[in-house]
Amino acid sequence: MPEETQTEQVEEQPQEPETAQEAEGTEEEPFDADRAKKAMSRKNAENKSLRDRLKELEPLARRAKELEDAQKSEQERLSEQLTAQQEKAAKALRTAVASKVEALAAKEFADPEDAAGALDLSSYVDDDGAIDTDAIKSDLADLLKRKPHWAKAPEGPRRPAPDRTQGSSGNNSRTPNDPGEEFAGFMSRALK
């Protein structure tokens, strides 16, 4: 057999400095309460002066904004108002389409909001803003085919399906229907 050479595995252990002070190479100064109080009071004074300056500058910033708005042309202001109104109208149209989808889905879906969430609502609005209910009905029918578990449960109580293989009749040891016969059978088995 040939000799197998084994290599020794040397694990390198990270060398930790004995103390944090030696690692930094500087010594910490002992805690001085008076010096800490002075430093804190300096920082507090700086913060107070910054807060005071901020209070002084806030009205100036508001005034600058007002002047900027006044310098805008009438057309820019109207353009901004038009954009805001268009956003409101688009939101109202999306809400109307979602309501229409939910209303149509309420007949067949257990949760109409599921149907509204699964469909692309923007595809049911034409350029004039009219809602295409026929397309909604068609897409709802397709959605119900793809996800039949979203359908409403049939109305009325559920009736159990009888299973004749269960119970005593399934194993051919049918018990008599008369309670007296049942008791007599029990007594005869007990006496044996």
Side-chain angles (χ1 to χ4, degrees):
M1 288 187 150
E3 290 183 26
E4 295 180 11
T5 59
Q6 295 180 353
T7 61
E8 294 182 21
Q9 295 179 352
V10 178
E11 294 182 21
E12 293 183 23
Q13 296 179 353
Q15 295 179 353
E16 298 179 15
E18 293 179 17
T19 63
Q21 291 175 353
E22 291 177 5
E24 294 175 7
T26 61
E27 290 186 25
E28 276 188 36
E29 296 179 18
F31 178 73
D32 185 11
D34 291 334
R35 190 176 59 212
K37 287 181 183 178
K38 287 179 185 177
M40 285 179 53
S41 65
R42 259 193 325 264
K43 294 294 181 183
N44 287 341
E46 285 177 26
N47 288 339
K48 183 179 182 323
S49 72
L50 290 174
R51 283 191 301 269
D52 291 342
R53 284 182 56 200
L54 179 64
K55 285 181 184 178
E56 291 172 4
L57 294 176
E58 282 178 341
L60 294 175
R62 275 194 303 264
R63 179 70 180 141
K65 176 70 174 154
E66 290 171 2
L67 289 174
E68 182 182 310
D69 288 343
Q71 290 176 352
K72 285 184 181 177
S73 69
E74 182 69 20
Q75 184 178 6
E76 289 174 336
R77 279 194 296 259
L78 290 175
S79 174
E80 288 176 0
Q81 289 176 354
L82 176 64
T83 303
Q85 292 300 323
Q86 285 175 341
E87 289 174 2
K88 284 182 182 179
K91 184 178 179 182
L93 189 59
R94 282 192 304 270
T95 303
V97 172
S99 297
K100 187 71 167 181
V101 168
E102 288 178 14
L104 292 172
K107 297 174 186 172
E108 298 175 359
F109 285 80
D111 187 5
E113 290 178 6
D114 288 341
L119 298 176
D120 179 22
L121 301 179
S122 62
S123 64
Y124 303 116
V125 181
D126 62 7
D127 293 335
D128 297 331
I131 300 172
D132 186 4
T133 56
D134 294 333
I136 294 173
K137 289 177 184 178
S138 172
D139 287 349
L140 286 174
D142 290 341
L143 183 62
L144 202 54
K145 287 178 186 174
R146 286 185 286 142
K147 298 187 182 278
H149 57 281
W150 284 4
K152 274 188 179 178
E155 293 187 22
R158 270 186 48 191
R159 305 188 92 186
D163 186 3
R164 300 283 181 200
T165 61
Q166 295 179 348
S168 61
S169 63
N171 57 10
N172 292 332
S173 62
R174 188 173 204 149
T175 57
N177 292 335
D178 183 26
E181 291 178 19
E182 286 183 34
F183 185 69
F186 171 73
M187 292 303 290
S188 66
R189 282 187 300 246
L191 291 174
K192 290 184 183 178

